[in-house]
Amino acid sequence: MAVMTKNQKLLDWVEEIAAMCQPDNVVWCDGTREEYDRMTNALVKSGTFIRLNDDIRPNSFFCRSDPADVARVEEFTFVCSEKEEDAGPTNNWADPKEMKDKLRKLYDGCMKGRSMYVIPYSMGPIGSPIAKVGIELTDSPYVVVNMHIMARVGSEVLRVLGESEDFVRGLHSIGAPLSTPKTPDVPWPCNAENKYITHYPETREIWSFGSGYGGNALLGKKCHALRIASVQARDEGWMAEHMLILKITSPEGEVKYIAAAFPSACGKTNLAMMEPSLLGWKIETIGDDIAWMKFGEDGRLYAINPEAGFFGVAPGTSMASNPNAMRTLHANSIFTNCAITPEGDIWWEEMSDDQPELLFDWLRRPLTPGSGRTAAHPNARFTTPARQCPVIAEEWEDPKGVAIDAFLFGGRRATTIPLVNEAYNWHHGTFLGSVMSSEKTAAAAGKVGEVRRDPMAMLPFCGYHMGDYLAHWVKIGNEHDDSKLPKIYYVNWFRKDADGKWLWPGFGENSRVLKWIFERCAGRAEAQDTPIGRLPTPDSIDIEGLDLDAKDMKELLKVDLEEWLNETPDMQKHYEKFGKKLPDELVWELERLEERLREPAHKV
Ligand code: GTP
Ligand code: SPV
Ligand code: MN
């Protein structure tokens, strides 16, 4: 496409990057269907994509990555703020100038033999007052077609940007130059030895090198919409959070909106589009991963989903666990690191009860049941358009957003944390979010299963000092009317019994917990004070028709004082990392928690 902008700052920057990376040519992306088709065809031709059987899954593609490039790499993710203190103890920091000097050596000539694509994108509906523009420069056609699905891409974005300088500059390279245009390429070029995902919050820049996978490469998502946006949100008094957004409608037709922060691979996509088991209740999707929220003139918090697609965890997704995701990805989708069937469809663990007799695993090796290998990589993902979701809410692209009634926090914890717990107020809820803990999943490279504290599910995604981030939450509570702020809950779908089995059935049955939360927000359901917060009274959660032992329900709602007292020293240790930046309000909350645990009769 011809250059469709007169934005000199943008043109200069593109020229400067092209001079450094030395691509064979520069391609401006227009975001059209024609462009998408042309590029997916080229990806099929080059062997990166396999077109799936059009009769089974129209216009969809299978893609396998390099086994050394399968997830986000937190170890190589940097926040390069001017001052080290601003990155804080939970981020890797490097001096911006030093990091850029080091990276320039890697970027020098890194796009030789390839095209450099200029992707103008909008996070949020184009022109929404909450939306933001970014430009991603990349040498990966895989990134271009994924960005087509995940964000609003193309000429319209350039038109809205006009001559403004207000855009995030994202540079991405897979770091695999071809010495001559004839040099043979591989299906998934990357630079596994030199991965750097770097952020420059002051100048709103992102430089990513070496990886083509997910959040490392689709820069609109975690790099822009969370790490850079969280800094803008702090400066401008709004919130950029790792949260799904859902709409819940009661049988009487009353509507509430809920946003929930769970760490990666802990159930956001599933909750956002679940099919409720409770008759008469309706759940619809606004977003499944990220929420941008601003205060309206009425003092309430309005949320938009900045994304346009879902980049969802594939394994475990089935007609039983998440039927609406299955219906969404019936066509026009990209599947990375799933398995493929001889008929030309995709498969992954738990998609069907029985594994097909013959499969080709994510590395395209033949696989038969009982071989001991998994078919899909645990972080295999689908990229699919949000508008195809059968339960997408009609207001999902409303530029003003939806007014949030409740926030949920939660993670994977086999013990201690009850099914649901209501915070006493905003600051207590901020405390619960700040000490959130979860077992690590395959969404990021590293050891799976380790429990770590992950404040508000933002540990890998906060672009500044975590102590300042918590202070931002506290400040919101100080500056806004508690009665208009979302009520805060802490949930845990992942508690296990002594044999290691899930105590709670999860998925569509989570609607029972959402119903309790809905009724609490409406001032109806019963709760009882405990040292950790307000829990449901024994029969205020609707478990009618659910095959659940009374004993198990009791276990799910148990607050074991001893277990909790064993947790508090670790919370203390977690807090010590933040030093003087930790808000006094949260120190006070932790002290009160300990006091209440030691003296449970003590009233709140
Ligand atoms: P990211 O895209 O990485 O941010 O993940 P996510 O938070 O959207 O997680 P997702 O909904 O994709 O779920 C991840 C895994 O958790 C899947 O394998 C699900 O099957 C499983 N899961 C989701 N909800 C539940 C639940 O209620 N109970 C149980 N036991 N597992 C669940
Ligand atoms: C996550 O890890 O939280 C994801 C996937 O949503 S990625 O886009 O890779 O960040
Ligand atoms: Mn996520």
Side-chain angles (χ1 to χ4, degrees):
M1 168 200 147
V3 181
M4 292 282 287
T5 182
K6 293 199 185 100
N7 188 319
Q8 202 53 47
K9 287 272 171 0
L10 170 56
L11 292 167
D12 290 348
W13 174 63
V14 171
E15 199 178 295
E16 178 197 323
I17 299 297
M20 173 169 73
C21 300
Q22 301 164 41
D24 285 2
N25 58 331
V26 175
V27 180
W28 288 71
C29 298
D30 60 12
T32 57
R33 173 68 195 255
E34 190 275 327
E35 176 176 80
Y36 185 83
D37 290 345
R38 188 168 18 91
M39 294 193 66
T40 49
N41 282 332
L43 282 159
V44 170
K45 208 162 152 227
S46 70
T48 300
F49 275 6
I50 291 178
R51 182 181 290 278
L52 295 175
N53 186 330
D54 252 317
D55 296 333
I56 309 177
R57 217 166 285 274
N59 191 35
S60 297
F61 302 91
F62 165 90
C63 179
R64 61 160 269 205
S65 80
D66 187 300
D69 192 21
V70 293
R72 285 185 297 98
V73 283
E74 295 178 6
E75 205 186 325
F76 305 109
T77 300
F78 290 82
V79 170
C80 305
S81 42
E82 294 291 339
K83 287 192 276 181
E84 179 168 8
E85 196 195 16
D86 288 337
T90 58
N91 283 312
N92 297 313
W93 177 83
D95 176 80
K97 191 173 169 311
E98 281 169 28
M99 179 55 94
K100 280 193 171 174
D101 284 345
K102 177 158 132 184
L103 291 180
R104 271 194 200 96
K105 294 195 183 83
L106 292 169
Y107 281 117
D108 184 18
C110 71
M111 295 188 185
K112 275 188 188 152
R114 301 188 185 278
S115 297
M116 182 173 93
Y117 301 93
V118 183
I119 314 173
Y121 65 85
S122 172
M123 296 313 284
I126 296 177
S128 153
I130 311 184
K132 301 261 185 203
V133 169
I135 309 285
E136 175 166 359
L137 308 182
T138 180
D139 53 3
S140 164
Y142 170 87
V143 165
V144 177
V145 294
N146 275 269
M147 284 293 283
H148 261 242
I149 298 176
M150 293 307 296
R152 285 100 176 156
V153 161
S155 323
E156 186 59 15
V157 178
L158 288 180
R159 201 186 57 73
V160 167
L161 178 66
E163 312 222 358
S164 163
E165 278 181 67
D166 184 16
F167 61 93
V168 169
R169 290 161 168 78
L171 165 58
H172 169 254
S173 174
I174 49 178
L178 299 167
S179 45
T180 73
K182 294 236 157 55
T183 310
D185 206 356
V186 292
W188 185 279
C190 63
N191 191 331
E193 291 76 45
N194 293 293
K195 287 185 198 166
Y196 289 95
I197 321 298
T198 69
H199 306 75
Y200 307 84
E202 284 94 355
T203 53
R204 318 285 196 231
E205 289 174 287
I206 304 154
W207 281 18
S208 166
F209 188 89
S211 166
Y213 207 87
N216 298 338
L218 312 176
L219 300 188
K221 200 172 172 59
K222 296 306 169 42
C223 298
H224 178 166
L226 289 177
R227 297 196 192 93
I228 298 289
S230 62
V231 174
Q232 291 177 297
R234 173 202 60 190
D235 295 346
E236 298 165 8
W238 52 283
M239 306 177 89
E241 301 295 333
H242 190 199
M243 289 181 175
L244 69 92
I245 311 164
L246 66 80
K247 173 185 182 183
I248 174 167
T249 308
S250 72
E252 294 74 32
E254 204 179 330
V255 170
K256 296 202 182 296
Y257 296 97
I258 295 178
F262 308 154
S264 302
C266 289
K268 288 183 299 301
T269 301
N270 276 269
L271 194 70
M273 55 188 78
M274 76 138 90
E275 210 160 69
S277 60
L278 287 177
L279 227 62
W281 288 79
K282 194 154 104 187
I283 287 173
E284 291 161 288
T285 315
I286 309 272
D288 84 322
D289 199 49
I290 299 175
W292 281 0
M293 296 173 279
K294 287 192 174 166
F295 285 94
E297 271 162 24
D298 59 359
R300 300 196 62 196
L301 196 52
Y302 286 80
I304 65 159
N305 169 14
E307 302 190 278
F310 308 131
F311 184 65
V313 177
T317 308
S318 69
M319 285 308 287
S321 66
N322 192 351
N324 290 320
M326 294 302 286
R327 292 174 192 127
T328 307
L329 47 81
H330 73 280
N332 311 314
S333 302
I334 300 166
F335 299 90
T336 310
N337 290 348
C338 305
I340 185 167
T341 69
E343 297 77 38
D345 196 14
I346 32 88
W347 195 84
W348 49 67
E349 273 58 35
E350 290 171 57
M351 186 195 276
S352 52
D353 288 343
D354 296 315
Q355 179 170 330
E357 280 309 306
L358 177 63
L359 282 174
F360 298 91
D361 72 4
W362 66 283
L363 293 168
R364 299 188 193 170
R365 299 171 301 193
L367 187 76
T368 49
S371 75
R373 296 203 317 267
T374 65
H377 183 277
N379 192 39
R381 298 258 169 181
F382 52 77
T383 318
T384 194
R387 69 185 133 74
Q388 287 184 187
C389 180
V391 294
I392 197 82
E394 60 179 4
E395 62 274 53
W396 84 280
E397 297 192 279
D398 186 341
K400 75 172 194 321
V402 297
I404 300 296
D405 295 284
F407 278 153
L408 271 53
F409 294 126
R412 284 175 186 265
R413 284 296 304 270
T415 65
T416 318
I417 314 288
L419 182 62
V420 57
N421 174 21
E422 180 187 88
Y424 288 116
N425 52 43
W426 179 268
H427 283 164
H428 181 231
T430 300
F431 165 73
L432 294 179
S434 77
V435 297
M436 224 170 100
S437 55
S438 190
E439 295 158 15
K440 266 193 75 178
T441 67
K447 195 160 164 247
V448 171
E450 226 168 38
V451 173
R452 66 173 184 184
R453 303 249 164 226
D454 183 348
M456 283 78 174
M458 283 290 277
L459 185 68
F461 307 120
C462 184
Y464 61 105
H465 194 297
M466 187 59 83
D468 286 332
Y469 169 80
L470 296 175
H472 182 51
W473 272 77
V474 167
K475 186 162 168 253
I476 285 172
N478 290 338
E479 289 177 354
H480 295 268
D481 182 351
D482 216 72
S483 71
K484 289 187 182 165
L485 285 169
K487 283 168 83 74
I488 300 180
Y489 297 82
Y490 195 135
V491 299
N492 179 20
W493 318 138
F494 297 96
R495 200 147 165 171
K496 288 181 176 169
D497 66 13
D499 302 326
K501 283 216 315 279
W502 304 122
L503 276 167
W504 179 249
F507 304 103
E509 303 295 358
N510 293 334
S511 58
R512 297 172 188 274
V513 176
L514 294 185
K515 176 184 172 186
W516 184 76
I517 290 170
F518 182 109
E519 301 286 6
R520 286 293 298 165
C521 290
R524 293 192 286 264
E526 293 285 319
Q528 55 191 347
D529 288 0
T530 81
I532 65 164
R534 296 200 169 106
L535 263 72
T537 51
D539 38 41
S540 63
I541 287 207
D542 182 350
I543 50 165
E544 205 184 299
L546 186 63
D547 184 19
L548 186 75
D549 260 24
K551 182 175 105 315
D552 287 348
M553 193 62 198
K554 217 170 146 201
E555 182 69 20
L556 281 161
L557 293 176
K558 187 174 79 177
V559 180
D560 185 311
L561 299 182
E562 208 152 310
E563 273 181 1
W564 274 90
L565 278 166
N566 284 337
E567 288 267 315
T568 53
D570 188 63
M571 294 177 187
Q572 187 73 47
K573 224 173 87 206
H574 163 66
Y575 268 5
E576 277 163 15
K577 291 198 293 274
F578 309 128
K580 283 204 291 289
K581 298 254 192 197
L582 184 73
D584 293 339
E585 287 86 347
L586 297 183
V587 178
W588 187 89
E589 288 291 344
L590 178 54
E591 283 167 8
R592 291 294 81 69
L593 171 67
E594 285 183 314
E595 211 171 273
R596 292 193 300 259
L597 288 168
R598 295 220 164 79
E599 205 185 327
H602 182 93
K603 272 283 158 213
V604 191

